[in-house]
Amino acid sequence: MSNTRSFNRSNSEFRPVKITRNCNIWAEGSVLIEFGQTKVLCTASVSNKLPQFIKDQKLNHGWLTAEYNMLPRATSTRNSREGRKGGGISGRTMEIQRLIGRALRNAVDLEKMQDISIVIDCDVLQADGGTRTTAINGACIALYDACQYLVTNGLVAENPFKEFVAAISIGIDNDDILVDLDYSEDSNIGADCNLVMSESAQVIEFQLSAEKQSFSKQKLDQVYTLGQDSIEKIITLQKESLGIDK
Amino acid sequence: MSNTRSFNRSNSEFRPVKITRNCNIWAEGSVLIEFGQTKVLCTASVSNKLPQFIKDQKLNHGWLTAEYNMLPRATSTRNSREGRKGGGISGRTMEIQRLIGRALRNAVDLEKMQDISIVIDCDVLQADGGTRTTAINGACIALYDACQYLVTNGLVAENPFKEFVAAISIGIDNDDILVDLDYSEDSNIGADCNLVMSESAQVIEFQLSAEKQSFSKQKLDQVYTLGQDSIEKIITLQKESLGIDK
Amino acid sequence: MSNTRSFNRSNSEFRPVKITRNCNIWAEGSVLIEFGQTKVLCTASVSNKLPQFIKDQKLNHGWLTAEYNMLPRATSTRNSREGRKGGGISGRTMEIQRLIGRALRNAVDLEKMQDISIVIDCDVLQADGGTRTTAINGACIALYDACQYLVTNGLVAENPFKEFVAAISIGIDNDDILVDLDYSEDSNIGADCNLVMSESAQVIEFQLSAEKQSFSKQKLDQVYTLGQDSIEKIITLQKESLGIDK
Amino acid sequence: MSNTRSFNRSNSEFRPVKITRNCNIWAEGSVLIEFGQTKVLCTASVSNKLPQFIKDQKLNHGWLTAEYNMLPRATSTRNSREGRKGGGISGRTMEIQRLIGRALRNAVDLEKMQDISIVIDCDVLQADGGTRTTAINGACIALYDACQYLVTNGLVAENPFKEFVAAISIGIDNDDILVDLDYSEDSNIGADCNLVMSESAQVIEFQLSAEKQSFSKQKLDQVYTLGQDSIEKIITLQKESLGIDK
Amino acid sequence: MSNTRSFNRSNSEFRPVKITRNCNIWAEGSVLIEFGQTKVLCTASVSNKLPQFIKDQKLNHGWLTAEYNMLPRATSTRNSREGRKGGGISGRTMEIQRLIGRALRNAVDLEKMQDISIVIDCDVLQADGGTRTTAINGACIALYDACQYLVTNGLVAENPFKEFVAAISIGIDNDDILVDLDYSEDSNIGADCNLVMSESAQVIEFQLSAEKQSFSKQKLDQVYTLGQDSIEKIITLQKESLGIDK
Amino acid sequence: MSNTRSFNRSNSEFRPVKITRNCNIWAEGSVLIEFGQTKVLCTASVSNKLPQFIKDQKLNHGWLTAEYNMLPRATSTRNSREGRKGGGISGRTMEIQRLIGRALRNAVDLEKMQDISIVIDCDVLQADGGTRTTAINGACIALYDACQYLVTNGLVAENPFKEFVAAISIGIDNDDILVDLDYSEDSNIGADCNLVMSESAQVIEFQLSAEKQSFSKQKLDQVYTLGQDSIEKIITLQKESLGIDK
């Protein structure tokens, strides 16, 4: 498998990345992000609709939540739209959007967002593996812009953006470790990892699941090292797209 | 209102149009279409999953159906995703996707699509009025490409594509008649029309509703004439995008 | 088809009409209306439960909304009750009840209905084509009575009823134009129209859809003329049922 | 309370009854039944769609099921339509339609209905107490006609109708026992009973619930005696409506 | 059937009963109750969330409601969890939990529970017939403890517990009358009764349904007598479990 | 926090464990498992109902799936039952039952379960933290017994049980690492981990999430080491409960 990776890349390389900011005229932050053939439209929407638990508990901070969705023909065969015929959304979608939300809440200081709610929407226009990590990488840029909007419009006293977060998928395929799986790789992988880290090299999420192949602590450590390396490079790309010097 | 239309256009002009074909690697036909700031991603998906009524009645033809959806931040304030919390989709969405389906079934000969089902997905990435007519205009191009795919892959004996169809919105605002309303115009209009016509100048749908202002037969005739004129021009654009000489 | 229409009527005639007012002891207005074998029970219910958007926007007027439903055995074979097993109501039902609501909001002056909400319920007891137009024709009478109730009970300063509205279906069947289709005609028609007009000869809705046969502007004009003629006669019947001199 | 009962009746009398057979042109049996101001439209629909458990267990008999519904303005204030916004139907509706089904399965011999399914629909057009018992009383007549249809059309070898069933409500109000409660009586009653019996004086259902007042065995016996007396008279009315000599 | 009843018991005997109080550390009252192999976990939860109708009508009393549920493998073959895929809960579940609620509201004086709401949860861990009666018998003990909690914590001025209520199932099997049916008996019974009575020998519910066999008044009286006898014995067991002298 | 852990345990110790096998007479495998005050009833149900994707793809193996549920009063305040009012189950429940399913599919060889489906039900009777890990630990024992049932009843050629799997939660609280969090610890933890491993010391799942505190690779390694140690001890307890010598 590893000899013929897409875009002629080695096992430890992620796919070419393209970032288009301000792709939506309405949202406070918006990015179209592409990792190879995976394309995700991310928007950050500011409002003052706080979730019920914050109001009930009179908590002294704002909130950030995320929604994830695939267009029906994001995939090689068409999928039904979730929720159209009752029955709610799938477990996979729920898991992904909860992950995106947790990841990005680590990018901001919620206490600097009093009475402010940010909703991150990640809509997958085209899927070829790694949609949840691509979504996090794009959404963090949209979130940065939305935080600037809060500052510019005097909605916050201080900029709540704390630090960048980025994510990458890594797979274990027998003895090989592959970074940034595309769909054909992902669907046959032995074990599958998603790593989310911050700019300050702290781990936010580390989820490693055996699909077909359980694994040793040694493999886990290799996965970690390769993931961390990619995340550092992705954060550099996020900053470049925003014109921030490293 | 009519003196200050977007893009400096007259009452009888539609907005600048941009058509990007093959914007999706998986779909048998795909188009990103823009009318001014309204952007709709249209895909045509071929399958052999026929609806139950065709199987039950052993009908001798294929089928075409459409789904319409807005991304949550397609609009100036964020909308909830339909269907996520039960309760199904809104009446507005149902009406629109039924209209798109009826319109495009007039573009093909279903009897030349035996055992073939085509699903048109129209996802509004950004909305600024006229999303249903923009969707029809883009979807017809995606449908053309999907029909070519059927021919190229030997799935049909003859190309089922019959003729182009296009659509336009027209509004009655006191004495003025405005073509291709954008959102700020549409939300204050007296009466609202959607016209769908074919290349051969036959009417497919003519829907005229009084929102605030009922209207005379004379106005109805004026609406029709201006609509027909725009539709002819839109069909020319559809053909150009496909490299078809008129 | 046109030689053997039900009730021995010509292409331009509608079916025999029967109107029974005050068929319900609870509702502020109620009518059982029959067009041939189509029977619809219409009630108008007055309350002070305004929709959320009126409260949110602090609008200075009341509201009127409609619900449409068929009894399961209104049709020749039994249909399942909508909404019983989740999944909400059908697109057809939504389209119809939105049409009824829009039509009847043109019969009243909402600004004379401050803090007043009227719900129109149209329950089809027996269906034989033209249920939506029959519903509008009956509901307008129930609405008239409900407006009288508002006046009599001092709930409004002025009677909000503005003018009568009526509706008719017309079909295009090759070269023939047929008024007031019954079910056997409707299910094979080439193109299908619903026209809603007011007493003052203003158009409220004009919806013309190609089911099997697209059509020329000339046919559209013929449909309009025949529809208008029937609507004038129906409004006369509505007034007679209320004891109003023309 | 007992001195001023509606229709000047004594505690042991039920309200005036009106039965209109064949009120629906499509159904195999249909009755509009009125007990005072309570009006229920009952249809019996014949099909060959058997429930899954009969097919799974390869049972050697047909089935009968019932659905019950109130129109929104059957009551003095308008109720929402059940099931329209997800969440299914209410416990009250479920209880009633299960009761109607059980009651009427006792009127037929299911083994003489091989491959036959009958659905009873009871739609309350106007409610003034006793809707479930009125529904049973009307539905039994519609069921009789549907059984005749089965015989006439050769769908059964023998008529499956076995015997008439009828139902009555009885209330305990301190020391009084009231037969056939109307709504104003029912809403303040101490304890509430529904009795269903067959023509052969066998009990099918006897449901006695303390709403505000638990009761002694002696009261239970008085309730039973008055109920049985009414049921005999109702069965006579059912037969008369069908032209059957006692 | 009657010669070989479980636990070697006669037709008039109920199964061995086991009551384990305080089986839950969180609930204000909790009981695990077993009738033979039927095991139900009952909790009584105190809160101040009153139902909407009490708030709307500004009623001067508290409320008690009940929920009933079976674990999926409470039965010999696994059942799907209700409500998981939309469509709400079954009619059977609704009937049972409404019965439990009505029964237990007779055990308390709601006027002594101002601003207090008690929710009874009855979860069937293992089912072998009689789950609803077992649930009532256990829930009444949990309710007693919850009422003590109200007193101890000063949430009420006076203890709202009024008297014990208990329930039993009785079946008619041709000429035999069987008390406390287990599942194998229940699934083949001719007619099925649930009797709920209070400590003061007042009837709260008496529900007798013909499943396969309608029945005479004489049988109804026998059912009543045997039921009353069992209920007296069950109330003794309830009191013993609470250390109350008769 | 660490000085006063429940059951007087050190940071690296899990709570006292109690395992009761065969607690359900119907299920092919059943266990009531307790970790301190957390109590989960686990059943394994054997059937031949395979999921659709296995039938569609004609796969040559069986399947195992899991459902997780909390009783409403498993927690210190009562929760609503999921799914009762439409809207499906929560993201949390979905995540947990997907985790349990993935974990236990690693305990069996699905290819030795041809045409066999096993459903694991984990119902939390009482919750005090660690419900998902407790569920996995109990369910693995129930699964072992269900596999024995398959062998004993000749439903498989070879025992599909491969090896034991166990799970533990670990939390990072500033500098402390705490094993087997109870609820009061879990609700304030900085970062939260769930580790699932097999008897052969292979990792199946390693999920580490920053709730309030992102963490270093060094902490991640400490979490892993403590988790592995506990899991070895839990597998010993699983085997003891089954009478298996290590």
Side-chain angles (χ1 to χ4, degrees), chain A residues 133-217:
Chain A
T133 51
T134 302
I136 291 170
N137 295 331
C140 188
I141 303 168
L143 176 58
Y144 183 93
D145 278 329
C147 288
Q148 292 290 355
Y149 170 92
L150 293 176
V151 173
T152 306
N153 289 270
L155 298 170
V156 291
E158 255 183 295
N159 191 334
F161 195 84
K162 223 166 55 181
E163 61 174 337
F164 284 87
V165 304
I168 194 74
S169 76
I170 309 114
I172 304 176
D173 176 41
N174 295 312
D175 287 338
D176 291 331
I177 312 240
L178 304 178
V179 169
D180 191 27
L181 307 173
D182 48 30
Y183 180 69
S184 64
E185 292 171 338
D186 188 39
S187 53
N188 290 297
I189 205 71
D192 187 29
C193 173
N194 289 293
L195 175 61
V196 184
M197 289 182 82
S198 72
E199 201 177 347
S200 57
Q202 293 285 296
V203 186
I204 291 167
E205 294 271 340
F206 187 53
Q207 297 191 343
L208 192 34
S209 289
E211 299 290 337
K212 296 184 182 147
Q213 170 188 2
S214 51
F215 45 88
S216 65
K217 176 61 166 48

Side-chain angles (χ1 to χ4, degrees), chain A residues 20-25 27-32 41-44 142 145:
Chain A
T20 309
R21 275 171 65 217
N22 300 323
C23 60
N24 178 296
I25 56 170
E28 286 73 26
S30 64
V31 166
L32 175 64
L41 182 55
C42 308
T43 56
D145 278 329

Side-chain angles (χ1 to χ4, degrees), chain A:
Chain A
M1 184 194 274
S2 56
N3 294 323
T4 61
R5 300 195 78 201
S6 64
F7 302 99
N8 266 331
R9 58 199 165 112
S10 71
N11 285 356
S12 60
E13 286 178 298
F14 53 80
R15 292 171 289 182
V17 176
K18 190 170 163 198
I19 295 169
T20 309
R21 275 171 65 217
N22 300 323
C23 60
N24 178 296
I25 56 170
W26 305 118
E28 286 73 26
S30 64
V31 166
L32 175 64
I33 185 163
E34 306 173 46
F35 266 69
Q37 292 291 7
T38 290
K39 301 183 188 183
V40 184
L41 182 55
C42 308
T43 56
S45 297
V46 169
S47 83
N48 54 10
K49 285 186 217 151
L50 289 169
Q52 200 56 43
F53 79 89
I54 288 193
K55 290 187 259 181
D56 286 351
Q57 301 175 38
K58 298 184 184 168
L59 298 177
N60 213 15
H61 59 73
W63 196 243
L64 180 150
T65 188
E67 293 196 2
Y68 168 94
N69 187 49
M70 274 214 208
L71 297 206
R73 197 55 196 274
T75 45
S76 65
T77 56
R78 186 180 183 276
N79 292 303
S80 299
R81 290 174 192 271
E82 291 189 316
R84 282 264 164 137
K85 311 221 164 162
I89 57 173
S90 71
R92 180 186 173 275
T93 294
M94 285 227 188
E95 266 186 36
I96 294 176
Q97 65 190 21
R98 283 157 60 88
L99 171 65
I100 298 171
R102 283 199 310 271
L104 292 176
R105 281 193 292 277
N106 278 277
V108 287
D109 184 339
L110 295 171
E111 296 187 1
K112 295 185 181 159
M113 282 169 53
Q114 304 244 358
D115 299 326
I116 300 286
S117 166
I118 295 181
V119 181
I120 300 293
D121 284 291
C122 299
D123 285 84
V124 180
L125 305 188
Q126 192 169 282
D128 189 27
T131 60
R132 79 188 71 186
T133 51
T134 302
I136 291 170
N137 295 331
C140 188
I141 303 168
L143 176 58
Y144 183 93
D145 278 329
C147 288
Q148 292 290 355
Y149 170 92
L150 293 176
V151 173
T152 306
N153 289 270
L155 298 170
V156 291
E158 255 183 295
N159 191 334
F161 195 84
K162 223 166 55 181
E163 61 174 337
F164 284 87
V165 304
I168 194 74
S169 76
I170 309 114
I172 304 176
D173 176 41
N174 295 312
D175 287 338
D176 291 331
I177 312 240
L178 304 178
V179 169
D180 191 27
L181 307 173
D182 48 30
Y183 180 69
S184 64
E185 292 171 338
D186 188 39
S187 53
N188 290 297
I189 205 71
D192 187 29
C193 173
N194 289 293
L195 175 61
V196 184
M197 289 182 82
S198 72
E199 201 177 347
S200 57
Q202 293 285 296
V203 186
I204 291 167
E205 294 271 340
F206 187 53
Q207 297 191 343
L208 192 34
S209 289
E211 299 290 337
K212 296 184 182 147
Q213 170 188 2
S214 51
F215 45 88
S216 65
K217 176 61 166 48
Q218 186 193 1
K219 276 275 183 300
L220 189 156
D221 287 336
Q222 291 170 15
V223 161
Y224 179 87
T225 304
L226 281 173
Q228 179 173 20
D229 180 61
S230 289
I231 280 173
E232 284 168 7
K233 290 173 182 148
I234 293 166
I235 289 176
T236 302
L237 295 174
Q238 289 174 325
K239 289 181 167 177
E240 279 175 14
S241 78
L242 287 156
I244 300 174
D245 287 335
K246 189 156 173 165

Side-chain angles (χ1 to χ4, degrees), chain F residues 206-225:
Chain F
F206 186 54
Q207 298 190 342
L208 192 35
S209 289
E211 298 291 337
K212 297 182 181 151
Q213 171 187 4
S214 51
F215 45 87
S216 64
K217 176 62 165 49
Q218 186 191 1
K219 275 275 185 299
L220 188 156
D221 287 336
Q222 290 170 14
V223 162
Y224 180 88
T225 304

Side-chain angles (χ1 to χ4, degrees), chain B residues 2 9 54 59-60 69 72 85 115 153 158 162 168 220:
Chain B
S2 57
R9 58 199 166 113
I54 289 195
L59 298 177
N60 214 14
N69 187 50
K85 310 220 164 163
D115 300 326
N153 289 269
E158 258 184 292
K162 224 166 56 184
I168 195 75
L220 186 155

Side-chain angles (χ1 to χ4, degrees), chain F:
Chain F
M1 185 197 275
S2 57
N3 295 326
T4 61
R5 302 196 75 203
S6 64
F7 302 100
N8 265 329
R9 57 197 166 112
S10 71
N11 285 355
S12 62
E13 284 177 301
F14 53 81
R15 291 170 290 182
V17 177
K18 189 170 164 199
I19 295 168
T20 310
R21 274 171 66 218
N22 300 321
C23 61
N24 177 299
I25 58 171
W26 305 117
E28 285 75 25
S30 65
V31 165
L32 175 63
I33 185 163
E34 306 172 45
F35 267 70
Q37 292 291 6
T38 291
K39 301 183 188 183
V40 185
L41 182 54
C42 309
T43 56
S45 295
V46 169
S47 82
N48 53 12
K49 287 187 216 151
L50 289 168
Q52 200 56 42
F53 79 91
I54 289 194
K55 289 189 259 181
D56 287 351
Q57 301 175 35
K58 297 183 185 165
L59 298 176
N60 214 16
H61 58 72
W63 196 243
L64 179 151
T65 188
E67 295 194 1
Y68 168 95
N69 187 50
M70 276 214 208
L71 297 206
R73 197 54 196 273
T75 45
S76 64
T77 55
R78 189 182 181 274
N79 292 302
S80 299
R81 291 174 190 269
E82 291 188 314
R84 282 265 167 137
K85 309 221 164 164
I89 56 173
S90 71
R92 180 185 174 277
T93 295
M94 283 226 192
E95 266 186 35
I96 294 176
Q97 64 189 21
R98 283 159 59 91
L99 170 66
I100 299 172
R102 282 199 311 272
L104 292 176
R105 282 194 290 278
N106 278 278
V108 286
D109 184 339
L110 294 172
E111 297 187 1
K112 293 185 182 161
M113 279 168 56
Q114 305 245 355
D115 301 325
I116 300 287
S117 166
I118 295 180
V119 181
I120 300 295
D121 285 292
C122 300
D123 285 84
V124 180
L125 304 188
Q126 192 169 280
D128 189 27
T131 61
R132 77 187 74 186
T133 51
T134 302
I136 290 171
N137 295 332
C140 187
I141 304 169
L143 176 58
Y144 184 93
D145 276 330
C147 287
Q148 292 290 356
Y149 170 90
L150 292 176
V151 172
T152 307
N153 288 269
L155 297 170
V156 291
E158 258 182 293
N159 192 334
F161 194 84
K162 225 165 55 183
E163 60 175 339
F164 284 87
V165 304
I168 194 77
S169 76
I170 310 113
I172 304 177
D173 176 40
N174 296 312
D175 286 337
D176 292 330
I177 312 243
L178 304 177
V179 169
D180 191 28
L181 309 173
D182 47 31
Y183 179 70
S184 64
E185 292 171 338
D186 189 37
S187 53
N188 289 299
I189 205 71
D192 186 29
C193 172
N194 289 293
L195 175 62
V196 185
M197 289 184 82
S198 71
E199 199 178 348
S200 57
Q202 293 285 297
V203 185
I204 291 168
E205 296 269 341
F206 186 54
Q207 298 190 342
L208 192 35
S209 289
E211 298 291 337
K212 297 182 181 151
Q213 171 187 4
S214 51
F215 45 87
S216 64
K217 176 62 165 49
Q218 186 191 1
K219 275 275 185 299
L220 188 156
D221 287 336
Q222 290 170 14
V223 162
Y224 180 88
T225 304
L226 281 174
Q228 179 172 22
D229 180 60
S230 288
I231 282 175
E232 283 168 9
K233 288 174 183 147
I234 294 166
I235 290 176
T236 302
L237 296 175
Q238 289 173 325
K239 289 182 166 178
E240 279 174 14
S241 80
L242 287 155
I244 300 173
D245 287 333
K246 184 153 177 166

